[in-house]
């Protein structure tokens, strides 16, 4: 469905510039690269959840024929804990250096202890087995409940909370008004506690890199990441090689969802390449990905909401405990800051607690923290609406945040599109459609939920260059994980008034394009469109000046339209238009190359809102819930390429359905991951899902040249609550823990039946 | 460590390679043959990113030994287009935005092609169950299913002819 | 690092010779959908891999003169599905074999490999048990037959003697009014290992069930033949009482574990539910209604 009709390319479903390579198998992902003479790297990983490393002896590994280099934590730059935080974006290098390789303690099963490079993968793996590690095995804890007990084994001895050694590494709060007073004014108060399990981003492409280091330290990194500049910076920090000597090239990336916003392999492969003098290739196995990268937090959230009879919310209190894993840094910011934000709540306290435990360090996962918090808040919203006998969407409208509302996390909202999403949901064909009856023994239900994510702007660089034959090459700085190149092509073509196929969009590396921040935060199109727009406008200015020079008139008298320079009016003179090709052809004689680059720390990103409707059908004998219909409504600002915007909505919904119904990390009694593969880590398959309908509401962002708002992360935020509320509607049972897997639903149904019989 | 010499046919071309006895077909494709279009997502047959056909049978190349290719007819993603002429499925995937990161796309296309060769008129349910072995984390499968069904309809109507 | 040898013999005698000679270091390769995964994870490190797919008897699917079927142990699920008659006579066995994994896996996976892998949850086994399949095995001491339910010995183990290879399954001729069905409980719609798997084969004459067999998987160290369930069904009109009795027999037969795929309580309950549903499908097919 095209929402914009008066644009040639913006809003059109053009063919993405990188599409041909991807449908023919030509696109080069990280593991597809080979460098001449390359050898293979493998990692030795801790078998223990928690252990002091007393000694590591690599002599036998080094002596194995075929082994060319061995790396231990001694080779990695240390960031001493006592010297304080060294921040790279949101990552503290003190934890990063310990995460890529354990220093004095192994903190989770799978924690790297050493790395080996050898002529074959098999030899490297064999060599790892020859490394002798003397462990002092320590007690461990994984679940939040266990990690915050008074006698819990402490991961980080330096840390104190409330004056005592603790695994609670930090707390944050947002406060507004006085919740005690607010709850007194409420006629209905509902308080519930929710738990969720760790879930993995689930990208199909394992982490991989191929790295070459010349004897003078000049380093070439080919890897899949959500930020080649992040790769460069982290590698520089951890190896000591200056950033200017590192060329980090972004391969096509096979999914990230936040999980590839940090590095695991690159610093190790760089050191192995440096020591061995040969390019080193490292590819994670699926098992390594599941055990030793960064699934998001498991959580325990308590949410209390109070409202008057007329439906006005008077107070809300949220306490969100999130697992950080081995090192501090769970996304409490997202949980505490986003979960209440769709609503105008006069009295609010939202608290987040960051809890370390012996599982792998969390990495970002699509609106980090917000889906966890929204599951809790939106489910309580559903219960409050029910207690008030209000339609759940009307209840949300009654309390909707709008322009002028002071948000939980601080800012006062400008014009936002939340209300529009609720109204569009209410007016949707889905909401009006009867649920229908399921066949034999199944029950159907419908649920709704809303959600918010901050979005981000941040640094971006771009260059727009006109080729000698009159076409355009745009170089941007962010890896493309969702189709952003397609959006950029649409924008540049629109501005220049040329066919979008004449615009080539590529992603530069750290040595060919200016600094650009991570691909994440739903920021790539927002930020790169800004700098591409400004660059293109500079190019257009140059083109007007060139035409003016040729026509011997003032540049102010030249306009650029439909791919050519024209006199502004007949008064300026009677001249035939000069096309882009003609001006390009004349460029050397008329002043030189036509191109421009812009680097900005882009501002003005607005948060995003979504409202979802979910229908489920539950097989009550077997406890299996299936989503049979789903509609995702979202304020997308402006859908530059509707197909790829819809794609973000549909992808986030699919991940949320998996999180709601089947995905979870399962641990053995020994504290190891019991399901480190796609067989038993159950992500939705094609037959599990219905078509996912999208309604894109466009409330353009006034601070952006095309009105763009970030869209990538909001789609995951409302899903689990929408599914849980739908199951409640079907069965009359509320689920306060995820996933709502068949044994859980079946047991709850049996318990319910027992209650009815009493 | 004696390597095995294999003679086979890949995308219509006779090919030879050497492999270790324990190498999988995926190892051979991505390694000695330089055909990196088939991807490695799990190496346990659970994701389908390595899908190929062997003697017209859709399989996971990570679950076949490279040595088994002797005398077989193998088709990979690299054989779907012919020169500049895309297979209708490839074209439809582009038109429908049925891919985002693209890592599952090779396997998805090979599997979809295998389906349409067997069943030119699949229902939505049949498409979904056929593709259940191809994991996609980006798209939620919606646009993939639409692309496959629309391709099937157009091929039945003779609007598009499959590349031979 | 040990050398691995790959052999692809063309005759059964060659295969048996090589397999027996290598002893515990040898592994049979049919579809490879279990073996290659186990090799990759390091669970299994074979010294010799004997690929049996070039032996005609191993992949042949034929209807025998008496109306039964002989299925080569290495015949793939896809090949079985492509047989013009097999799915009409044994729809339950066919659907069980073709629920293993994905379409890609079914292009390679075989009933023989599924049985010999010894997983208590292997999808084809309960259906083969319900069908009353008899397997032919051959080793250095010659050829012999075993009832399929006698093959599994425990998780990952079978009752074949050292050096013996599974050759084929023999399914009996079907009296008129016979059919079968297989259902499993999995949390998703595809791709999962069965939490419970149940196969029912029965014959109905004049509205009365005259023969029945029930195979139950994933609820004990091996797949089970549930004779009590069959007894409850035979002689009945498949009325609610009889079916509930059969379901109870299935629940009682369960000796499941709690694991990452299901709980004890859930498996027991599900066994009963699946008995009812599977019997209904088999009955519908048997009577043509």
């Amino acid at each position: 469905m095209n929402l914009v009709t008066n644009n040639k390319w913006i809003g059109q479903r053009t063919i993405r510039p990188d599409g041909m390579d991807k449908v023919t198998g030509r696109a080069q992902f990280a593991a597809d690269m080979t460098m001449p003479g390359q050898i293979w790297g493998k990692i030795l990983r801790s078998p223990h959840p928690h252990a002091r490393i007393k000694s590591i002896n690599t002599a036998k590994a080094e002596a194995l024929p075929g082994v060319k280099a061995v790396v231990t934590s001694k080779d990695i730059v240390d960031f001493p804990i006592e010297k304080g935080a060294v921040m790279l974006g949101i990552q503290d290098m003190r934890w990063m250096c310990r995460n890529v390789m354990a220093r004095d303690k192994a903190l989770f099963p799978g924690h790297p202890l050493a790395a080996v490079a050898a002529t074959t993968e098999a030899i490297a793996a064999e060599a790892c087995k020859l490394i002798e590690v003397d462990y002092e095995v320590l007690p461990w804890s994984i679940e939040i409940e266990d990690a915050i007990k008074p006698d819990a084994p402490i991961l980080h001895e330096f840390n104190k909370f409330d004056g005592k050694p603790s695994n609670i590494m930090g707390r944050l709060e947002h406060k507004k008004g006085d919740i005690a007073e607010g709850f007194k004014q409420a006629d209905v108060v509902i308080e519930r506690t929710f738990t969720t399990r760790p879930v993995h981003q689930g990208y199909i492409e394992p982490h991989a890199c191929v790295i070459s280091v010349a004897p003078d330290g000049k380093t070439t990194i080919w890897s899949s990441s959500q930020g080649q500049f992040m790769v460069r910076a982290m590698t520089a920090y951890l190896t000591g090689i200056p950033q200017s000597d590192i060329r980090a090239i972004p391969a096509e990336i096979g999914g990230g969802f936040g999980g590839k916003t940090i590095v695991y392999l690159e610093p190790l492969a760089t050191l192995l390449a440096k020591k061995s003098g040969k390019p080193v290739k490292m590819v994670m196995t699926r098992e390594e990905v599941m055990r030793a990268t960064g699934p998001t937090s498991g959580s325990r959230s308590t949410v209390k909401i109070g409202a008057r009879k007329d439906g006005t919310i008077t107070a809300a209190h949220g306490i969100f405990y999130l697992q950080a894993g081995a090192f501090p840094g769970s996304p409490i910011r997202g949980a505490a800051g986003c979960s209440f934000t769709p609503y105008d709540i006069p009295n609010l306290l939202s608290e987040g607690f960051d809890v370390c435990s012996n599982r792998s360090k969390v990495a970002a996962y699509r609106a980090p923290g917000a889906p966890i918090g929204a599951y809790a808040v939106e489910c309580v919203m559903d219960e409050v609406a029910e207690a008030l006998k209000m339609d759940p969407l009307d209840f949300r409208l009654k309390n909707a945040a709008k322009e002028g509302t002071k948000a939980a996390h601080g800012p006062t909202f400008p014009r936002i599109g939340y209300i529009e999403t609720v109204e569009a949901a209410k007016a949707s064909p889905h909401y009006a459609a009867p649920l229908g009856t399921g066949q034999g023994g199944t029950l159907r239900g419908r649920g709704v939920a809303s959600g918010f994510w901050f979005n981000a702007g941040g640094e971006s660089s771009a260059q727009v260059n006109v080729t000698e034959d009159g076409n355009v090459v745009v170089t941007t700085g962010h890896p493309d994980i969702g189709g952003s190149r397609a959006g950029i092509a649409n924008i540049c073509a629109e501005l220049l008034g040329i066919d979008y196929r004449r615009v080539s969009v590529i992603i530069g590396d750290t040595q060919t394009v200016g600094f650009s921040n991570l691909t994440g935060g739903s920021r790539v199109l927002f930020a790169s469109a800004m700098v591409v727009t400004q660059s293109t406008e500079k190019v257009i200015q140059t083109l007007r000046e060139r035409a003016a020079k040729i026509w011997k008139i003032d540049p102010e008298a030249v306009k650029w339209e439909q791919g050519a320079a024209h006199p502004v009016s007949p008064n300026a003179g009677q001249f035939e238009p000069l096309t882009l090709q003609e001006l390009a052809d004349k460029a050397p004689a008329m002043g030189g190359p036509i191109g421009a680059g812009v680097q900005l720390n882009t501002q003005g990103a607005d948060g995003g809102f979504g409202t979802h409707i979910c229908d489920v059908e539950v097989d009550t004998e077997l406890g299996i819930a299936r989503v049979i219909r789903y509609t995702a409504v979202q304020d997308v600002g402006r859908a530059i390429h509707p197909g790829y915007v819809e794609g973000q909505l549909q992808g986030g919904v699919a991940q949320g359905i998996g999180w709601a119904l089947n995905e979870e990390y399962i641990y053995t009694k020994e504290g190891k991951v019991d399901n480190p593969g796609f067989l038993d880590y159950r992500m939705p398959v094609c037959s599990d899902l219905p078509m996912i309908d999208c309604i894109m509401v466009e409330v353009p962002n006034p601070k952006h040249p095309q009105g763009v708002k970030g869209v990538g992360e909001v789609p995951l935020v409302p899903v689990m609550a929408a599914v849980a509320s739908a199951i409640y509607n079907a069965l009359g049972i509320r689920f306060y823990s995820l996933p709502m897997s068949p044994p859980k639903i079946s047991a709850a149904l049996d318990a319910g039946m027992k209650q009815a019989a009493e | 460590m004696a390597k095995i010499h294999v003679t086979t046919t890949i995308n219509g071309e006779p090919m030879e390679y050497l492999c270790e006895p324990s190498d999988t077909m995926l190892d051979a494709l991505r390694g000695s043959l330089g055909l990196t279009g088939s991807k490695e997502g799990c190496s346990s047959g659970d994701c389908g990113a390595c899908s190929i056909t062997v003697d017209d049978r859709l399989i996971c190349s990570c679950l076949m030994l490279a040595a088994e290719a002797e005398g077989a007819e193998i088709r990979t993603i690299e054989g779907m287009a012919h020169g500049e002429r895309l297979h209708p499925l490839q074209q439809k995937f582009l038109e429908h935005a049925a891919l985002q990161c693209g890592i599952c796309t090779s396997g998805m296309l090979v599997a979809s092609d295998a389906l349409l060769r067997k069943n030119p008129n699949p229902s939505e349910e049949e498409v979904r169950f056929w593709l259940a072995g191809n994991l996609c984390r980006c798209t939620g499968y919606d646009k993939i299913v639409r692309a496959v069904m629309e391709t099937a309809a157009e091929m039945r109507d003779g609007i598009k002819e499959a590349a031979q | 690092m040990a050398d691995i040898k790959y052999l692809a013999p063309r005759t059964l005698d060659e295969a048996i010779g090589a397999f027996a000679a290598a002893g515990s270091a040898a592994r049979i390769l049919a579809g490879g959908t279990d073996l290659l995964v186990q090799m990759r994870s390091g669970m299994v490190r074979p010294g010799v891999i004997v690929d049996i797919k070039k032996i005609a008897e191993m992949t042949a699917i034929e209807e025998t003169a008496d109306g039964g079927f002989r299925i080569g142990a290495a015949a793939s699920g896809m090949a079985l599905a492509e047989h013009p008659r097999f799915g009409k006579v044994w729809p339950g066995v066919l659907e069980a074999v073709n629920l293993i994994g994905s379409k890609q896996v079914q292009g390679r996976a075989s009933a023989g490999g599924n049985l010999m892998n010894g997983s208590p949850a292997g999808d084809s086994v309960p259906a083969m048990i319900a069908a009353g399949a008899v397997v032919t095995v051959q080793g250095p001491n010659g050829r012999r037959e075993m009832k399929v339910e006698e093959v599994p010995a425990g998780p990952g183990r079978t009752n074949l003697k050292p050096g013996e290879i599974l050759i084929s399954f023999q399914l009996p001729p079907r009296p008129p009014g016979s059919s079968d069905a297989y259902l499993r409980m999995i949390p998703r719609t595809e791709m999962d290992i069965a939490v419970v798997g149940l196969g029912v084969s029965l014959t109905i004459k004049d509205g009365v069930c005259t023969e029945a067999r029930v195979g139950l998987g994933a609820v004990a160290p091996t797949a089970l033949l549930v004779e009590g369930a069959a007894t409850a069904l035979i002689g009945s009109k498949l009325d609610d009482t009889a079916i509930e009795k059969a379901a109870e027999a299935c629940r009682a037969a369960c000796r499941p574990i709690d694991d990452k795929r299901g709980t004890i309580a859930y498996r027991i309950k599900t066994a009963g539910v699946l008995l009812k549903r599977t019997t209904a499908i088999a009955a519908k097919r048997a009577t043509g209604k």
Side-chain angles (χ1 to χ4, degrees):
Chain A
M1 184 185 125
N2 288 329
L3 300 166
V4 178
T5 50
N6 59 345
N7 285 111
K8 188 117 204 250
W9 306 117
I10 289 177
Q12 302 305 316
R13 296 169 190 267
T14 51
I15 304 289
R16 60 194 284 172
D18 55 310
M20 201 58 79
D21 280 351
K22 290 193 169 163
V23 298
T24 55
R26 297 163 76 109
Q28 290 238 290
F29 294 82
D32 298 332
M33 166 62 72
T34 320
M35 289 187 188
Q38 77 185 19
I39 60 177
W40 290 83
K42 282 282 182 206
I43 294 174
L44 173 69
R45 298 180 180 277
S46 166
H48 303 293
H50 197 191
R52 215 172 296 279
I53 299 163
K54 288 158 67 182
S55 68
I56 298 186
N57 184 348
T58 59
K60 291 191 182 137
E62 291 174 64
L64 186 69
V67 170
K68 302 300 177 193
V70 176
V71 159
T72 64
S73 62
K74 289 198 292 292
D75 300 300
I76 296 176
V77 174
D78 186 17
F79 288 80
I81 293 175
E82 59 275 10
K83 287 224 173 121
V86 176
M87 301 307 294
L88 179 68
I90 60 166
Q91 302 298 342
D92 186 336
M93 293 311 299
R94 295 178 297 168
W95 316 137
M96 282 292 106
C97 78
R98 285 164 175 75
N99 199 43
V100 298
M101 194 163 279
R103 297 193 85 83
D104 35 66
K105 280 218 269 180
L107 292 170
F108 62 93
H111 201 168
L113 301 168
V116 176
T119 49
T120 70
E121 271 192 286
I123 295 174
E126 191 62 36
C128 285
K129 292 197 199 130
L130 296 175
I131 296 175
E132 293 162 332
V133 185
D134 190 11
Y135 298 101
E136 180 195 335
V137 177
L138 301 169
W140 50 268
S141 65
I142 290 178
E143 305 304 332
I144 289 171
E145 307 295 335
D146 296 325
I148 60 176
K149 284 189 176 127
D151 56 347
I154 301 294
L155 273 75
H156 297 288
E157 282 123 30
F158 71 88
N159 183 64
K160 289 199 174 30
F161 192 79
D162 273 353
K164 293 189 289 289
S166 173
N167 289 318
I168 298 178
M169 308 304 290
R171 177 184 173 278
L172 82 75
E173 76 168 33
H174 296 296
K175 203 169 172 178
K176 207 177 157 195
D178 177 344
I179 55 168
E181 279 308 308
F183 281 120
K184 282 194 198 131
Q185 297 160 25
D187 297 311
V188 168
V189 176
I190 305 246
E191 180 176 20
R192 299 279 182 255
T193 298
F194 300 80
T195 59
T196 69
R197 303 293 306 150
V199 293
H200 197 273
Q201 299 82 352
Y203 33 84
I204 308 297
E205 179 207 30
H207 302 251
C209 63
V210 190
I211 299 181
S212 163
V213 182
D216 63 354
K218 296 274 195 293
T219 301
T220 305
I221 299 177
W222 170 270
S223 70
S224 96
S225 75
Q226 289 178 246
Q228 64 278 46
F229 289 89
M230 172 278 299
V231 171
R232 179 178 76 172
M234 287 219 178
T235 304
Y237 265 128
L238 297 176
T239 63
I241 299 172
Q243 287 195 16
S244 54
D245 280 351
I246 298 175
R247 179 174 192 180
I249 304 169
E252 294 297 337
I253 172 175
F257 314 108
K260 291 179 180 164
T261 55
I262 56 174
V263 293
Y264 298 95
L265 300 177
E266 288 87 332
L268 306 183
T270 300
L271 291 166
L272 288 169
K274 190 168 178 215
K275 279 190 165 191
S276 67
K278 294 181 176 300
V280 171
K281 183 166 184 174
M282 290 182 87
V283 181
M284 279 199 196
T285 63
R286 175 53 47 187
E287 195 177 333
E288 286 179 298
V289 173
M290 301 307 285
R291 289 194 192 285
T293 60
T296 192
S297 314
S299 70
R300 192 187 78 200
S301 308
T302 302
V303 169
K304 183 175 172 185
I305 297 180
R308 285 196 206 93
K309 274 199 291 281
D310 69 354
T312 325
I313 297 174
T314 60
H317 185 191
I319 305 172
F320 306 99
Y321 281 87
L322 270 59
Q323 278 177 330
F327 299 100
S330 69
I332 49 179
R333 174 181 167 259
C338 292
S339 311
F340 295 104
T341 304
Y343 311 110
D344 186 354
I345 301 176
N347 303 291
L348 172 68
L349 177 60
S350 186
E351 312 173 64
F353 292 87
D354 186 29
V355 180
C356 270
S357 66
N358 296 108
R359 45 142 286 183
S360 55
K361 177 187 186 333
V362 308
Y365 180 18
R366 204 166 202 158
I372 287 170
Y375 163 55
V377 170
E378 293 294 312
C379 281
V380 174
M381 289 288 288
D382 202 61
E383 285 202 56
V384 175
E386 189 188 35
L388 294 172
K389 298 191 181 10
M390 277 182 84
D391 170 280
L393 290 179
D394 286 337
F395 179 52
R396 285 169 172 82
L397 278 175
K398 178 101 186 153
N399 294 281
K402 49 186 177 293
E403 185 169 2
T405 304
K406 189 166 197 318
H409 58 291
T412 301
F413 279 131
R415 173 94 169 80
I416 57 174
Y418 175 53
I419 288 174
E420 283 83 342
T421 68
V422 185
E423 286 173 343
K426 275 191 75 172
S428 67
H430 185 172
Y431 208 60
L435 256 180
T437 4
Q439 291 176 341
T442 65
L443 290 175
R444 290 188 177 183
R446 179 169 294 166
V448 299
S450 292
F452 167 81
W453 175 250
F454 306 116
N455 293 337
E459 299 98 326
S460 189
S461 302
Q463 296 151 34
V464 175
N465 287 299
V466 177
T467 59
E468 298 147 82
D469 59 355
N471 289 323
V472 182
V473 177
V474 178
T475 308
T476 62
H478 312 281
D480 177 356
I481 57 175
S484 43
R485 276 170 287 192
I488 292 299
N490 282 4
I491 288 172
C492 188
E494 187 83 45
L495 291 167
L496 285 170
I498 60 176
D499 189 293
Y500 81 97
R501 280 161 284 241
R502 290 171 57 190
V503 179
S504 242
V505 183
I506 64 165
I507 301 161
D509 63 58
T510 57
Q511 294 190 337
T512 61
V513 73
F515 179 80
S516 300
N517 211 323
L518 294 174
T519 290
S522 308
R523 59 178 296 269
V524 169
L525 192 64
F526 174 87
S528 57
M530 259 193 194
V531 290
V532 168
T533 297
Q534 291 193 18
S535 305
T536 308
E537 285 168 349
K538 286 188 179 184
V539 165
I540 290 173
Q541 176 63 20
T542 303
L543 291 164
R544 289 168 57 214
E545 287 163 5
R546 299 287 170 97
K549 214 165 170 185
I550 291 169
W551 294 332
K552 298 187 177 41
I553 62 177
D554 193 282
E556 294 305 306
V558 180
K559 63 181 176 184
W560 184 268
E561 247 173 39
Q562 296 186 353
H566 307 258
V568 159
S569 72
N571 295 342
Q574 300 277 16
F575 301 107
E576 286 300 302
L578 280 166
T579 66
L580 183 58
Q581 283 102 318
E582 287 167 324
L583 288 168
D585 191 55
K586 297 179 199 304
M590 297 307 303
I594 303 175
V598 171
Q599 302 184 282
L600 285 179
N601 188 356
T602 65
Q603 306 294 317
D606 273 344
F609 293 90
T611 299
H612 292 189
I613 310 166
C614 174
D615 289 356
V616 297
E617 185 172 275
V618 184
D619 177 331
T620 51
E621 285 187 312
L622 293 179
I624 304 176
R626 300 249 182 264
V627 175
I628 55 173
R629 187 170 179 177
Y630 204 99
T631 301
V633 185
Q634 187 166 325
D635 170 18
V636 303
R638 189 87 182 281
I640 303 298
H641 189 304
Y644 291 107
V645 175
E646 287 164 347
Q648 291 302 304
L649 271 58
Q650 292 167 334
V653 166
Q655 288 178 312
I657 290 174
W659 195 334
L661 294 180
N662 276 309
E663 291 178 41
E664 58 176 318
Y665 264 63
I666 302 170
Y667 294 93
T668 66
K669 288 195 291 292
E670 294 81 33
K672 296 190 177 177
V673 178
D674 200 14
N675 58 338
F678 285 142
L679 177 61
D680 290 304
Y681 183 79
R682 293 183 267 267
M683 307 190 329
V685 299
C686 193
S687 42
D688 290 340
L689 299 176
M691 294 295 185
I692 301 167
D693 295 324
C694 303
I695 297 177
M696 293 180 289
V697 167
E698 288 185 323
V699 177
N701 179 348
K703 290 176 242 136
H704 189 275
Q706 288 84 28
V708 167
K709 286 182 186 166
V711 301
E713 290 169 284
V714 170
L716 179 53
V717 180
V719 187
M720 292 100 81
V723 178
S725 297
I727 291 178
Y728 169 69
N729 186 246
L731 304 180
I733 300 175
R734 295 236 181 238
F735 284 90
Y736 299 112
S737 75
L738 298 181
M740 297 172 286
S741 57
K744 195 181 271 179
I745 293 181
S746 180
L749 281 167
D750 286 347
M753 279 164 59
K754 287 206 192 90
Q755 276 190 355
E758 273 162 12
Chain B
M1 250 189 305
K3 291 204 180 185
I4 298 176
H5 178 262
V6 177
T7 307
T8 186
T9 307
I10 301 186
N11 299 323
E13 296 293 326
M15 287 204 178
E16 299 176 52
Y17 56 85
L18 293 174
C19 67
E20 299 287 348
S22 56
D23 282 347
T24 63
M25 191 64 218
L26 183 62
D27 293 333
L29 285 170
R30 291 180 57 78
S32 20
L33 292 166
L35 293 168
T36 56
S38 306
K39 305 300 178 192
E40 183 167 4
C42 72
S43 281
S44 57
D46 295 307
C47 77
C50 66
S51 298
I52 61 174
T53 65
V54 178
D55 296 333
D56 275 328
R57 236 334 111 72
L58 177 69
I59 69 153
C60 282
S61 57
C62 73
L63 293 183
M64 171 182 157
L65 291 179
E68 295 181 66
E70 180 69 35
E73 295 251 354
I74 300 196
R75 276 202 317 271
T76 70
I77 180 66
E78 287 90 348
M80 250 181 109
H82 284 261
E84 290 181 344
R85 214 166 88 236
L86 291 180
H87 187 285
L89 278 168
Q90 291 169 307
Q91 182 62 34
K92 267 300 166 220
F93 267 51
L94 290 175
E95 289 169 12
H96 273 266
L99 61 143
Q100 289 178 34
C101 80
I103 197 78
C104 77
T105 304
S106 300
M108 206 58 91
L109 283 166
V110 170
S112 302
D113 182 33
L115 169 64
L116 296 187
R117 283 172 193 259
K118 212 174 152 88
N119 178 0
N121 191 6
S123 64
E124 179 185 334
E125 193 178 19
E126 285 171 324
V127 172
R128 286 187 178 277
F129 275 86
W130 184 272
L131 294 179
N134 289 83
L135 287 182
C136 174
R137 196 56 162 169
C138 291
T139 68
Y141 307 103
D142 180 301
K143 293 178 189 300
I144 291 172
V145 174
R146 288 182 201 276
V148 174
M149 297 198 58
E150 202 174 289
T151 307
E154 287 187 6
M155 282 171 70
R156 288 194 305 273
D157 293 346
I159 292 173
K160 301 223 166 112
E161 278 179 21
Q164 286 311 300
Chain C
M1 253 185 327
D3 287 359
I4 303 180
K5 278 173 70 176
Y6 167 81
L7 304 169
R10 291 193 176 271
T11 71
L12 197 47
D13 287 336
E14 276 179 70
I16 291 167
F19 185 59
S24 60
R27 282 291 190 282
I28 298 291
L29 173 65
T33 55
D34 286 318
L35 179 62
L36 266 63
V37 176
Q38 291 159 0
M39 283 168 63
R40 198 65 173 214
S41 71
M43 209 173 111
V44 155
R45 276 173 228 276
V48 177
I49 297 172
V50 182
D51 183 344
I52 54 171
K53 295 192 291 295
K54 293 192 160 75
I55 300 166
E57 195 179 358
M58 291 292 198
T59 56
I61 305 164
E62 48 194 26
E63 203 161 354
T64 53
D66 60 356
F69 274 90
R70 183 181 299 278
I71 306 164
S76 74
M78 278 295 184
L80 205 53
E82 285 158 11
H83 189 278
R85 290 254 311 142
F86 183 78
K88 294 187 170 67
V89 181
W90 292 102
V93 172
L94 182 62
E95 62 203 355
V97 176
N98 282 321
L99 280 171
I100 301 170
S102 59
K103 290 290 168 235
Q104 288 87 340
V105 166
Q106 290 147 29
R108 298 265 295 176
S110 60
N114 198 228
L115 180 65
M116 291 304 295
N117 189 47
S119 164
D123 280 306
S124 67
V125 187
M128 283 293 191
I129 290 176
V134 169
V135 302
T136 302
V137 309
Q138 188 166 332
N141 294 333
R143 191 173 270 231
R144 64 188 181 102
E145 292 186 340
M146 298 167 73
K147 292 182 185 163
V148 72
E149 61 267 23
E150 289 168 354
V151 173
R157 296 182 296 116
T158 70
N159 287 316
L160 269 64
K161 302 202 183 16
E164 283 186 322
I165 303 180
L166 181 70
I167 309 293
S168 59
F169 296 81
Q170 179 74 33
L171 299 185
R174 301 291 259 155
S178 301
S179 197
D180 67 341
Y182 173 80
L183 284 180
R184 64 180 186 174
M185 184 280 156
I186 52 168
R188 293 180 291 182
T189 53
E190 282 288 340
M191 298 304 287
D192 291 325
I193 298 290
V195 177
V196 179
L198 197 146
V200 173
S201 173
L202 40 76
T203 306
I204 299 178
K205 196 175 168 183
D206 299 325
V208 175
C209 174
T210 57
E211 283 174 49
R213 281 175 66 93
V214 175
L216 180 56
V219 295
T222 68
L224 307 169
L225 170 68
V226 188
E227 286 170 350
T231 312
L233 296 177
I234 293 171
S236 80
K237 289 179 187 263
L238 298 180
D239 52 282
D240 288 351
T241 313
I243 291 189
E244 175 51 39
K245 261 187 163 162
E248 181 49 41
C250 287
R251 288 192 290 265
C254 291
R255 289 162 359 240
I257 55 172
D258 283 331
D259 69 4
K260 60 195 170 196
R261 296 175 188 142
T263 60
I264 292 169
Y266 184 71
R267 285 184 156 115
I268 293 173
K269 178 182 177 191
T270 299
V273 173
L274 290 187
L275 182 289
K276 296 182 186 176
R277 295 185 184 186
T278 313
T279 303
I281 297 171
K284 202 168 171 184
R285 288 174 177 165
T287 56
K289 293 197 195 72

